[in-house]
Amino acid sequence: GSGEESGSEGTGGEASKDIKLGATAGPYSDMLSKAIVPGLEEKGYTVELVEFSDYIQPNVALDGGDIDANLFQHTIYLENFEKENGMDLSALITVPTAPMGLYSNQYDSLEAIEDGATIAIPNDPVNGARALLMLQDEGLVELDPEAEVLQASERDVITNEKNLEFQPIEAGQLPRAVDGSDLAAVPGNFAIAAEMDLLDALALENMPDQYRNVVAVNAENEGSELAKDLVEIVESAEFEAVIDEEFEGFGKPEWMAE
Amino acid sequence: MGVEWGRIIELWPEIQTAFFQTLTMIGISLAVALIVGLPLGILLFITDRGLFLENRPVNAVIGFIVNIVRSIPFIILLVALIPLTKLITGTTIGPIAASVSLSVAAIPFFARIVENSLREIDKGVIEAAIAVGATPWMIIKDVLLPEAKASIIQGVTLTIISLVAYSAMAGVVGGGGIGDLAIRFGYYRYDNTIMIVTVVILIVLVQLIQQAGDYTAKAIDKR
Amino acid sequence: MGVEWGRIIELWPEIQTAFFQTLTMIGISLAVALIVGLPLGILLFITDRGLFLENRPVNAVIGFIVNIVRSIPFIILLVALIPLTKLITGTTIGPIAASVSLSVAAIPFFARIVENSLREIDKGVIEAAIAVGATPWMIIKDVLLPEAKASIIQGVTLTIISLVAYSAMAGVVGGGGIGDLAIRFGYYRYDNTIMIVTVVILIVLVQLIQQAGDYTAKAIDKR
Amino acid sequence: MIQIEKLTKTYTTKHGTVTGVDNVSLEIGKGEIFGIVGYSGAGKSSLIRCINLLERPTSGSVTVDGNDLTKLNSEKLRKARLKIGMIFQHFYLISQKTVYDNIAFALRAAGTPSKNLKGRVEELLEMVGLSDKRDVYPAQLSGGQKQRVGIARALANNPAVLLCDEATSALDPNTTLSILRLLKDINLKLNITIVLITHEMNVVKEICDRMAVMQGGRVIEEGQVYDIFADPQKELTKEFISSVVSFNVPEHLLSEFTGTVVKVLFKGGVAGEGVISDMLQNYPVKGNFLHGAIEYIQERPLGVFIMELKGTSSDVMDALKYMESRSAIVEVIPNGR
Amino acid sequence: MIQIEKLTKTYTTKHGTVTGVDNVSLEIGKGEIFGIVGYSGAGKSSLIRCINLLERPTSGSVTVDGNDLTKLNSEKLRKARLKIGMIFQHFYLISQKTVYDNIAFALRAAGTPSKNLKGRVEELLEMVGLSDKRDVYPAQLSGGQKQRVGIARALANNPAVLLCDEATSALDPNTTLSILRLLKDINLKLNITIVLITHEMNVVKEICDRMAVMQGGRVIEEGQVYDIFADPQKELTKEFISSVVSFNVPEHLLSEFTGTVVKVLFKGGVAGEGVISDMLQNYPVKGNFLHGAIEYIQERPLGVFIMELKGTSSDVMDALKYMESRSAIVEVIPNGR
Ligand SMILES: Nc1ncnc2c1ncn2[C@@H]1O[C@H](COP(=O)(O)OP(=O)(O)OP(=O)(O)O)[C@@H](O)[C@H]1O
Ligand SMILES: Nc1ncnc2c1ncn2[C@@H]1O[C@H](COP(=O)(O)OP(=O)(O)OP(=O)(O)O)[C@@H](O)[C@H]1O
Ligand SMILES: [Mg+2]
Ligand SMILES: [Mg+2]
């Protein structure tokens, strides 16, 4: 009952077709503006892009109705966020996502990594956990199986054969940290922004779909006109064309690869 | 670190928007800081030991709150104030929302500045007003404020400049503004052109504010 | 916003580390600010119009640089200084690296404070020293510094407190510290316990610094 | 008009307590000009500031115009202060307001309706001779002019009492004189009681009726100005008086005289009656003035002469007796012979 | 010792230029105590501050001990200043250093080897009578004591010239006297040239040899102190002198006299010779002293009396002529009869 009521409110809001989309500064904001906004405008929307320089506020704003949709996070992050904050948001569709990579100016292969090397990892929990999982996948560390996948931190490392020394820093700073430390786990979006070549990575994250970014809306609006339009645009051929042209190296989700 | 002129022209609308966002944030939070911080600063001063509305408990409580707010890192304040921001502005993003946190940070800052400006007033002038039989309100209005005017204006300048610096952090809540533009493009997107342009704009802005403040303070002072 | 005591005990080592990181960052950058900012502040003062080493161009140039550094948002400064940081510390991350940017931000801040403290000195005392035939160096060492001592110590307090606030942003380059802990755990991980604990630590720290500063300034003043 | 009873004021400082005023009782009558002198730190300011309760006495009471001020609440005290004007050494004008507004400020404090304001301010400016400085800021005034504004402000609400804390100490002698005349004038015209602190005896001599000498927080001597000048009791008082009426003949000159050196003091109207002239004409002694001063204190002459008298010792003795008989006070000064 | 030639000092302010000193030429001899008086703003401080170039003259030259200071580079000027001591109205001691260190500071400026420092400081403290205050901070000293430290500091490097800008204006009369005596003493013992600014004629009377009166940046009168006191030329000078030697008889008293009121002025040694006494004994007139003062200026008496003379008009005329013949200056004062 109540869902439908607020749904109709949502529809009322759409009547004006003035919408706000949120993203963090970087490629996903660009993806919105280059690959999605043109489609929306074609459908008669007036779109305002809000760029955030942090990972919390885009969801807070989405929940509060300050923005209508966002694109910056993957499914696991979204779900965890919903749980932590008691919010009801929903992912509409996954989009191509740049994988996190392990970069180094010191070593040219994983094998060359020396004992006690320093490694810069993101200091926000989600990206931090991602980095650790990537290291685990590459056999560099082992994480406590009891640790929550999404919250895993340096303290959950139970074996660390090369005695890697973790240095959590702000994610946006990581590309610059490749110089400052032996290794750096750089999220794909920042690596691309910093014009790093994804192919230079010692390792790229193995990226299941739940680690790919999604277009998210408030759960109330899951069935709204806007939601439908967003999905339609992302699924369109124009979208994929823009991705191929301007977002090289972004790993496409399963549905797109099909 | 080359500057590409084409890039500047391309992003000019963005820079303009950011500039107005900065002005909006500073305008609002400055207004609030003045309206709330000024009385608070006056209160801090006149309730202090040996002054005409001496009231130790009130003084201690206000002083304590002011110190606490000043001790909290701005980003924590920003987050802690989200419910209040929502309540007041109905939204938690954008320059208007960011102005709430900026205001809260600026109030105690400005209050202390006002307090310090008032301390510079010759105590004798205040005593002369008391001796004349003036009411506390008259003393505030006709002695404290006029006498500290020039110094308070310098304090406003300082507050504005601090707000410019703080507003750079408003990007966390999508506040935008020149500082945020510098961070988003310069820091997150490695766009040196925009970084240099925005930093230059900031420097010019700060210098202009400083000079305007100095000039006004000198011009209105009758000494 | 409940506080879970167990959580505090669990994270105590982390809090301790953060605490020492804060101390490291503040210690280093304060030392640099004192060593560089003090002479700079003195230079700003003595080269000003009507003073004993009046030199308008030097004064204008230093003043301009100081103003520019003060206009740049801290995070941009942090980025702009990466090459310098690398050069000096060999790394761009960690508390030592963060101290470079903190120092650069603190130097002009402290220099202005020193300048203002020196301005409070009775011009007559300086003139008396000139009349006595003292060298500029003697005037600095035996008149300016002793006379402004108490006020400069208050300025050091203010600088430390500002550094505490700035160091919360050091998380960007993995500087760590209490402020960063507050942001990482309180903000990113929704750990209210840690957020409250760290904020309380910050508040206590700031209050202690303030009181120590007030006490010292009073104790050494011979007036 | 003002009764001060057993007033004590102690200050607590970080080095312990300091006594500013120590058990002082004084009574100052209506229309009197009362001077208080004493060296720096004697407690003069503390005492006068207790009269309008700028400083709250530690113990004792201050009654002005029948009201015990120490018993009033803050609003009543404020009202009482409207009737006690005060002027300060450093004027303490509001630097950011014009002369007009500085004076109007005092009137507004008394709730003067704004239609009466302008007229009254102009009347006051007229009184202190500053009508042409109406719209000028204090920074553009000379010290004496600033003090006149201070006086106008203090008189704005027709006070019964005017307190002056070193009102002329920052001014040059000429300006001092003009301010003192203005005060005297006001005292005569408006019958205002004036309490005046100074460390210059000249000021007291010029306009005070009665005076008190303070030292270490206490009043050590008190009385009519004329009496105290003529016959000071305490060492400190003598020191003060000697700063205006200086009776010292340089030592080595003194030792060169061959006759009897005497100091002759005339009080009251006597000086005018030509005692010395008569003496010289009646006795075969030769008089040689070494030093002399006739001061008019409250318009009564007080004369002091130091003379060398030459003649036979019996003639000199007779001459001295004659002068004493005409109520001069005669004192022989040993001159080393 | 000091030659000031065509010295002009103008200040540029936001309201235009102000002339502090206007084309002043002065010559001050070795060992002289030279007083400069004038009202506030007359340019006294500007002038004295040009003597040690604390203020650089706009034009003109200042030669001290044969050196034209305006021609020296900054290091030479600093050296020259070692020989020009200066003391200030507000003392300007380093508040954070002990008395010892304040004085040692001056010695160090002259590069005194540290082994001689202690002895010299103690000698200076002895000279100004502050040996017991060696390790005390300025805040614990009285005004007079602070000024003594200022003097010790100024004398530290055996200067040839001592400049005093209102050195006693912040002090009470008693302390002023002791400081003046100390200065006189130093002048005699060390043969130091002293230039002394004041607005109190008492100070000039007490110790100066020569003096200048300034007004509007110019020197309007200059000469021996005695001569100026005895016979001031300019209105302003008279005004200043009248503040120490006051000759005014209250108006209404004057009008009550029936006889001829005369003012008699004796210069130099004459006052000591009993002119009035002789006159009274030689002429059948009755003398009535209305006002009198004999001041000793540089130990020479200067006497002024106002007398009422009663007698036949021819007797009075004769008496006046007699006094004039004995080189007194006699002036009849109209008294409204
Ligand atoms: N607010 C105060 N706190 C502490 N001590 C004070 C205070 N005011 C005055 N005193 C002390 O009280 C004593 C009397 O001071 P007061 O100012 O009354 O002297 P005064 O006679 O007016 O001196 P002056 O001629 O210097 O003005 C002094 O010892 C002074 O140090
Ligand atoms: N630094 C300055 N800037 C501008 N004007 C000045 C400055 N110093 C002095 N004057 C002006 O020069 C004139 C002479 O001032 P000066 O201080 O020499 O007078 P003074 O005789 O010493 O007076 P006082 O007795 O008040 O000390 C005044 O008109 C004064 O305003
Ligand atoms: Mg006093
Ligand atoms: Mg002067």
Side-chain angles (χ1 to χ4, degrees):
Chain A
S2 67
E4 271 171 29
E5 267 175 41
S6 32
S8 61
E9 264 175 36
T11 322
E14 276 163 43
S16 71
K17 293 216 165 190
D18 279 343
I19 61 164
K20 283 184 186 166
L21 301 182
T24 49
Y28 300 106
S29 159
D30 289 347
M31 192 179 287
L32 280 178
S33 63
K34 290 178 177 159
I36 296 179
V37 171
L40 286 170
E41 280 171 350
E42 232 164 75
K43 291 181 187 291
Y45 291 94
T46 313
V47 185
E48 187 187 328
L49 253 181
V50 182
E51 272 196 24
F52 294 85
S53 48
D54 120 308
Y55 288 96
I56 309 281
Q57 297 306 323
N59 279 341
V60 173
L62 185 61
D63 181 62
D66 292 319
I67 57 178
D68 301 284
N70 67 32
L71 170 58
F72 75 102
Q73 65 197 324
H74 48 68
T75 314
I76 298 183
Y77 180 83
L78 174 63
E79 283 169 359
N80 180 61
F81 196 95
E82 287 180 275
K83 197 176 88 208
E84 287 282 354
N85 294 282
M87 290 179 183
D88 200 1
L89 309 174
S90 46
L92 291 177
I93 186 164
T94 47
V95 297
T97 303
M100 182 180 277
L102 187 60
Y103 297 85
S104 172
N105 284 347
Q106 291 287 322
Y107 313 117
D108 43 22
S109 72
L110 288 177
E111 291 68 41
I113 297 173
E114 288 161 33
D115 197 66
T118 52
I119 174 166
I121 60 171
N123 70 353
D124 59 301
V126 173
N127 283 313
R130 248 172 102 181
L132 290 169
L133 286 174
M134 175 175 70
L135 294 175
Q136 177 167 259
D137 287 347
E138 301 298 338
L140 287 169
V141 300
E142 220 174 296
L143 297 177
D144 185 346
E146 311 232 311
E148 224 181 303
V149 166
L150 255 176
Q151 293 277 341
S153 70
E154 314 90 90
R155 280 173 297 114
D156 297 315
V157 172
I158 47 175
T159 47
N160 180 359
E161 282 175 3
K162 297 216 169 179
N163 293 312
L164 296 177
E165 198 185 309
F166 298 99
Q167 293 178 321
I169 68 173
E170 217 266 335
Q173 183 72 7
L174 282 161
R176 298 178 178 98
V178 178
D179 275 340
S181 62
D182 299 331
L183 296 155
V186 187
N189 54 328
F190 292 123
I192 288 165
E195 292 174 341
M196 295 167 73
D197 191 338
L198 294 189
L199 300 177
D200 284 348
L202 301 187
L204 282 176
E205 141 189 62
N206 165 24
M207 201 178 223
D209 259 8
Q210 75 258 39
Y211 278 122
R212 293 196 200 282
N213 283 354
V214 295
V215 178
V217 294
N218 199 317
E220 299 170 347
N221 297 333
E222 204 177 342
S224 67
E225 193 64 32
L226 173 65
K228 278 184 215 132
D229 290 339
L230 279 169
V231 171
E232 196 177 302
I233 290 166
V234 173
E235 285 175 345
S236 70
E238 290 91 337
F239 178 82
E240 190 160 1
V242 175
I243 294 294
D244 289 341
E245 197 179 319
E246 304 217 15
F247 295 84
E248 253 176 303
F250 279 55
K252 292 184 182 173
E254 281 166 31
W255 66 259
M256 218 178 213
E258 273 161 17
Chain B
M1 284 257 246
V3 175
E4 298 159 41
W5 293 103
R7 188 94 187 102
I8 299 180
I9 293 164
E10 186 187 329
L11 277 173
W12 192 246
E14 195 122 356
I15 293 173
Q16 276 191 313
T17 311
F19 192 72
F20 286 110
Q21 282 169 330
T22 294
L23 292 190
T24 308
M25 287 190 285
I26 290 176
I28 294 176
S29 44
L30 181 66
V32 176
L34 295 188
I35 293 167
V36 185
L38 188 65
L40 219 56
I42 294 173
L43 216 57
L44 271 173
F45 177 69
I46 62 178
T47 58
D48 198 9
R49 196 195 303 276
L51 275 144
F52 60 96
L53 284 184
E54 174 167 341
N55 187 330
R56 303 293 297 159
V58 167
N59 190 270
V61 167
I62 299 179
F64 186 65
I65 294 173
V66 162
N67 283 349
I68 283 185
V69 176
R70 297 203 59 195
S71 310
I72 300 176
F74 181 64
I75 193 157
I76 301 276
L77 200 67
L78 208 70
V79 175
L81 290 176
I82 285 177
L84 179 70
T85 306
K86 179 88 187 169
L87 196 74
I88 294 175
T89 67
T91 172
T92 61
I93 59 164
I96 309 277
S99 304
V100 175
S101 318
L102 284 175
S103 303
V104 171
I107 288 169
F109 184 85
F110 187 63
R112 281 285 184 219
I113 283 178
V114 169
E115 187 196 356
N116 287 337
S117 298
L118 296 177
R119 285 201 192 293
E120 284 165 26
I121 299 175
D122 191 337
K123 284 278 194 320
V125 179
I126 301 173
E127 278 194 343
I130 296 173
V132 128
T135 58
W137 171 239
M138 279 186 71
I139 298 178
I140 293 170
K141 184 171 62 76
D142 289 332
V143 181
L144 298 189
L145 292 183
E147 291 294 284
K149 199 166 50 177
S151 166
I152 289 177
I153 283 181
Q154 290 285 23
V156 170
T157 311
L158 201 63
T159 308
I160 297 178
I161 292 174
S162 299
L163 280 172
V164 172
Y166 273 125
S167 73
M169 275 182 277
V172 170
V173 292
I178 292 286
D180 181 46
L181 199 66
I183 291 168
R184 279 190 290 132
F185 281 80
Y187 179 64
Y188 287 115
R189 289 173 186 255
Y190 298 80
D191 188 332
N192 287 332
T193 303
I194 297 304
M195 176 151 117
I196 292 170
V197 170
T198 48
V199 167
V200 168
I201 292 177
L202 279 176
I203 291 172
V204 171
L205 188 66
V206 166
Q207 298 283 352
L208 283 182
I209 294 168
Q210 185 73 54
Q211 255 152 44
D214 288 350
Y215 177 81
T216 317
K218 200 168 280 176
I220 61 158
D221 197 351
K222 302 300 181 188
R223 266 172 301 198
Chain C
M1 287 259 252
V3 174
E4 298 159 40
W5 294 103
R7 189 97 186 101
I8 298 179
I9 293 165
E10 187 188 329
L11 277 174
W12 193 245
E14 197 119 356
I15 293 174
Q16 276 189 314
T17 311
F19 192 72
F20 285 110
Q21 284 169 329
T22 296
L23 293 190
T24 308
M25 288 189 287
I26 291 175
I28 295 174
S29 45
L30 181 65
V32 176
L34 296 188
I35 292 169
V36 185
L38 188 65
L40 220 55
I42 293 173
L43 217 55
L44 271 173
F45 177 69
I46 61 178
T47 59
D48 198 10
R49 197 194 303 274
L51 274 142
F52 59 96
L53 286 184
E54 172 166 345
N55 187 331
R56 305 293 297 157
V58 168
N59 190 270
V61 167
I62 299 180
F64 186 65
I65 294 173
V66 161
N67 284 350
I68 283 184
V69 176
R70 296 202 59 195
S71 308
I72 302 176
F74 181 63
I75 196 159
I76 300 283
L77 200 66
L78 215 66
V79 174
L81 290 176
I82 284 177
L84 180 70
T85 308
K86 175 90 184 172
L87 197 73
I88 295 175
T89 67
T91 173
T92 60
I93 56 178
I96 309 277
S99 303
V100 175
S101 319
L102 284 173
S103 302
V104 171
I107 288 169
F109 184 85
F110 187 63
R112 281 284 185 220
I113 283 178
V114 169
E115 187 196 355
N116 287 338
S117 297
L118 296 177
R119 287 204 189 291
E120 285 166 24
I121 299 175
D122 191 336
K123 284 277 194 320
V125 179
I126 301 172
E127 278 195 342
I130 296 173
V132 128
T135 59
W137 171 240
M138 280 187 69
I139 298 177
I140 292 171
K141 184 172 65 75
D142 289 332
V143 181
L144 299 189
L145 292 183
E147 291 295 283
K149 199 165 53 178
S151 167
I152 289 177
I153 284 182
Q154 291 284 24
V156 171
T157 311
L158 201 63
T159 308
I160 298 179
I161 292 175
S162 299
L163 279 173
V164 172
Y166 273 126
S167 74
M169 274 183 276
V172 169
V173 291
I178 293 286
D180 181 46
L181 200 68
I183 292 168
R184 275 192 295 140
F185 281 82
Y187 182 57
Y188 285 122
R189 290 178 190 256
Y190 304 91
D191 190 330
N192 285 334
T193 303
I194 296 305
M195 174 143 126
I196 292 170
V197 170
T198 47
V199 167
V200 168
I201 291 177
L202 280 176
I203 291 172
V204 171
L205 189 66
V206 167
Q207 297 283 351
L208 283 181
I209 294 167
Q210 185 73 56
Q211 257 152 42
D214 288 351
Y215 176 83
T216 317
K218 201 169 278 175
I220 59 158
D221 197 352
K222 303 299 180 189
R223 263 170 303 196
Chain D
M1 195 67 198
I2 304 173
Q3 285 87 35
I4 297 169
E5 256 165 68
K6 297 199 175 127
L7 191 144
T8 295
K9 171 74 195 175
T10 58
Y11 298 98
T12 322
T13 68
K14 62 173 174 175
H15 306 298
T17 63
V18 179
T19 304
V21 181
D22 190 1
N23 196 24
V24 165
S25 298
L26 274 180
E27 178 137 5
I28 298 168
K30 182 153 181 59
E32 214 168 49
I33 303 188
F34 191 88
I36 302 176
V37 297
Y39 285 139
S40 186
K44 308 179 296 294
S45 294
S46 300
L47 178 61
I48 209 171
R49 289 160 56 84
C50 280
I51 296 180
N52 63 353
L53 252 64
L54 273 186
E55 216 75 75
R56 190 161 277 276
T58 312
S59 68
S61 71
V62 178
T63 311
V64 176
D65 216 357
N67 279 325
D68 182 348
L69 300 187
T70 57
K71 300 234 164 60
L72 301 182
N73 66 23
S74 68
E75 182 55 19
K76 286 217 179 102
L77 177 59
R78 190 179 76 72
K79 290 262 164 59
R81 281 182 180 141
L82 294 172
K83 293 287 158 211
I84 310 175
M86 184 158 187
I87 61 178
F88 302 85
Q89 176 176 5
H90 297 295
F91 328 126
Y92 295 143
L93 305 179
I94 306 174
S95 66
Q96 307 293 327
K97 287 193 180 277
T98 59
V99 167
Y100 178 93
D101 285 330
N102 263 284
I103 299 173
F105 177 76
L107 291 167
R108 287 205 190 88
T112 313
S114 49
K115 67 173 164 44
N116 303 350
L117 220 54
K118 185 152 172 285
R120 178 65 181 145
V121 173
E122 273 163 5
E123 196 177 310
L124 286 159
L125 283 174
E126 182 77 25
M127 187 190 305
V128 297
L130 282 182
S131 298
D132 55 327
K133 298 288 179 186
R134 216 188 102 134
D135 297 318
V136 142
Y137 289 93
Q140 285 134 273
L141 298 177
S142 73
Q145 290 169 332
K146 283 183 202 158
Q147 197 56 289
R148 282 164 192 272
V149 179
I151 294 172
R153 175 176 67 180
L155 295 178
N157 299 312
N158 297 312
V161 173
L162 183 61
L163 307 176
C164 312
D165 189 354
E166 312 247 10
T168 58
S169 301
L171 305 174
D172 60 64
N174 220 38
T175 314
T176 295
L177 210 68
S178 84
I179 294 289
L180 292 180
R181 291 206 176 127
L182 177 62
L183 288 177
K184 182 91 202 174
D185 231 52
I186 288 162
N187 165 260
L188 289 174
K189 268 198 212 132
L190 310 174
N191 198 28
I192 287 182
T193 309
I194 298 182
V195 185
L196 187 148
I197 284 184
T198 183
H199 55 241
E200 290 176 283
M201 275 314 239
N202 262 323
V203 170
V204 172
K205 189 191 101 185
E206 200 71 41
I207 66 165
C208 293
D209 303 315
R210 285 203 306 137
M211 66 177 285
V213 180
M214 286 190 78
Q215 187 174 35
R218 293 164 173 277
V219 168
I220 58 165
E221 191 157 357
E222 188 207 333
Q224 293 290 330
V225 171
Y226 190 88
D227 296 343
I228 288 183
F229 266 73
D231 193 13
Q233 299 300 312
K234 293 289 192 316
E235 206 40 55
L236 178 68
T237 316
K238 285 179 190 158
E239 228 172 59
F240 265 106
I241 289 171
S242 75
S243 72
V244 243
V245 189
S246 158
F247 303 129
N248 298 317
V249 180
E251 279 294 330
H252 70 270
L253 284 186
L254 206 58
S255 63
E256 281 168 15
F257 296 125
T258 49
T260 309
V261 180
V262 293
K263 176 168 158 185
V264 189
L265 183 88
F266 302 99
K267 278 172 78 170
V270 185
E273 284 173 15
V275 177
I276 291 180
S277 151
D278 289 352
M279 179 273 286
L280 288 173
Q281 282 172 338
N282 294 341
Y283 296 86
V285 293
K286 196 174 159 91
N288 199 354
F289 290 100
L290 305 180
H291 210 123
I294 300 174
E295 299 280 351
Y296 288 82
I297 293 165
Q298 293 171 295
E299 309 206 329
R300 286 160 66 195
L302 173 69
V304 181
F305 291 91
I306 296 178
M307 302 179 73
E308 180 193 24
L309 294 182
K310 285 182 180 166
T312 68
S313 76
S314 73
D315 285 346
V316 169
M317 283 303 282
D318 288 348
L320 296 183
K321 281 212 188 89
Y322 170 75
M323 287 195 288
E324 270 173 353
S325 75
R326 295 204 40 199
S327 85
I329 297 166
V330 182
E331 191 185 319
V332 176
I333 297 177
N335 59 356
R337 310 251 132 191
Chain E
M1 195 67 201
I2 304 173
Q3 284 87 34
I4 297 169
E5 255 166 70
K6 297 200 176 128
L7 192 145
T8 294
K9 171 75 196 174
T10 58
Y11 298 99
T12 323
T13 68
K14 62 174 176 176
H15 305 300
T17 63
V18 179
T19 305
V21 180
D22 189 0
N23 196 24
V24 165
S25 299
L26 273 181
E27 179 138 4
I28 299 170
K30 181 149 182 63
E32 216 170 44
I33 303 188
F34 191 89
I36 303 174
V37 298
Y39 286 138
S40 187
K44 308 181 296 294
S45 295
S46 299
L47 178 61
I48 208 172
R49 288 160 56 82
C50 281
I51 296 180
N52 64 353
L53 252 63
L54 273 186
E55 216 76 74
R56 190 163 277 275
T58 311
S59 67
S61 73
V62 178
T63 310
V64 176
D65 216 357
N67 279 325
D68 182 348
L69 299 187
T70 54
K71 300 233 163 64
L72 301 182
N73 67 21
S74 70
E75 181 55 19
K76 287 220 179 101
L77 177 59
R78 189 180 77 70
K79 290 262 163 63
R81 280 180 181 143
L82 294 171
K83 295 288 159 210
I84 311 175
M86 183 158 189
I87 62 178
F88 302 85
Q89 177 175 7
H90 296 296
F91 328 127
Y92 296 143
L93 304 180
I94 306 174
S95 68
Q96 306 292 326
K97 288 195 181 276
T98 59
V99 167
Y100 179 93
D101 286 330
N102 264 285
I103 299 172
F105 176 76
L107 290 168
R108 287 205 190 88
T112 311
S114 50
K115 67 172 163 48
N116 302 350
L117 219 56
K118 187 155 170 284
R120 178 66 181 146
V121 173
E122 273 163 6
E123 196 177 309
L124 287 159
L125 284 174
E126 183 76 25
M127 186 190 307
V128 299
L130 281 183
S131 297
D132 55 326
K133 297 289 182 188
R134 216 190 103 133
D135 297 317
V136 143
Y137 289 92
Q140 284 133 276
L141 298 177
S142 73
Q145 291 170 332
K146 281 183 205 159
Q147 197 54 292
R148 282 163 192 273
V149 179
I151 293 173
R153 176 175 64 180
L155 295 178
N157 298 313
N158 298 309
V161 173
L162 183 62
L163 309 175
C164 312
D165 190 353
E166 312 247 10
T168 58
S169 300
L171 306 174
D172 58 64
N174 221 35
T175 314
T176 294
L177 211 65
S178 83
I179 293 291
L180 292 181
R181 290 203 177 128
L182 178 61
L183 288 177
K184 183 91 200 175
D185 232 50
I186 287 163
N187 166 259
L188 290 175
K189 267 197 213 133
L190 309 176
N191 198 29
I192 287 180
T193 310
I194 299 181
V195 184
L196 189 148
I197 284 183
T198 182
H199 56 240
E200 291 175 284
M201 275 312 239
N202 261 322
V203 170
V204 173
K205 190 190 101 189
E206 200 70 42
I207 65 164
C208 293
D209 303 314
R210 286 202 304 138
M211 66 178 286
V213 180
M214 286 189 78
Q215 189 175 33
R218 295 165 171 276
V219 169
I220 57 165
E221 190 157 358
E222 189 208 333
Q224 292 290 330
V225 171
Y226 190 88
D227 297 341
I228 289 182
F229 267 72
D231 194 14
Q233 300 301 312
K234 293 289 192 316
E235 207 39 59
L236 178 70
T237 315
K238 286 182 190 156
E239 228 173 60
F240 264 105
I241 290 171
S242 75
S243 72
V244 244
V245 189
S246 156
F247 304 129
N248 298 320
V249 179
E251 279 295 329
H252 70 271
L253 283 185
L254 206 57
S255 64
E256 280 166 16
F257 297 123
T258 50
T260 310
V261 179
V262 293
K263 177 169 158 185
V264 188
L265 182 88
F266 302 98
K267 276 172 78 171
V270 185
E273 286 174 14
V275 178
I276 292 181
S277 152
D278 289 351
M279 179 273 285
L280 287 173
Q281 282 170 341
N282 294 339
Y283 297 86
V285 293
K286 199 175 157 91
N288 202 352
F289 289 101
L290 303 180
H291 209 122
I294 301 175
E295 299 279 351
Y296 287 82
I297 291 165
Q298 293 171 293
E299 308 206 329
R300 286 161 67 194
L302 174 69
V304 181
F305 292 90
I306 296 177
M307 301 179 73
E308 179 191 24
L309 295 182
K310 284 183 179 163
T312 67
S313 75
S314 73
D315 285 344
V316 169
M317 283 302 281
D318 289 347
L320 296 183
K321 281 211 187 89
Y322 171 74
M323 288 194 288
E324 271 173 352
S325 73
R326 296 203 40 198
S327 81
I329 297 164
V330 181
E331 188 185 323
V332 176
I333 299 177
N335 58 356
R337 311 252 132 190

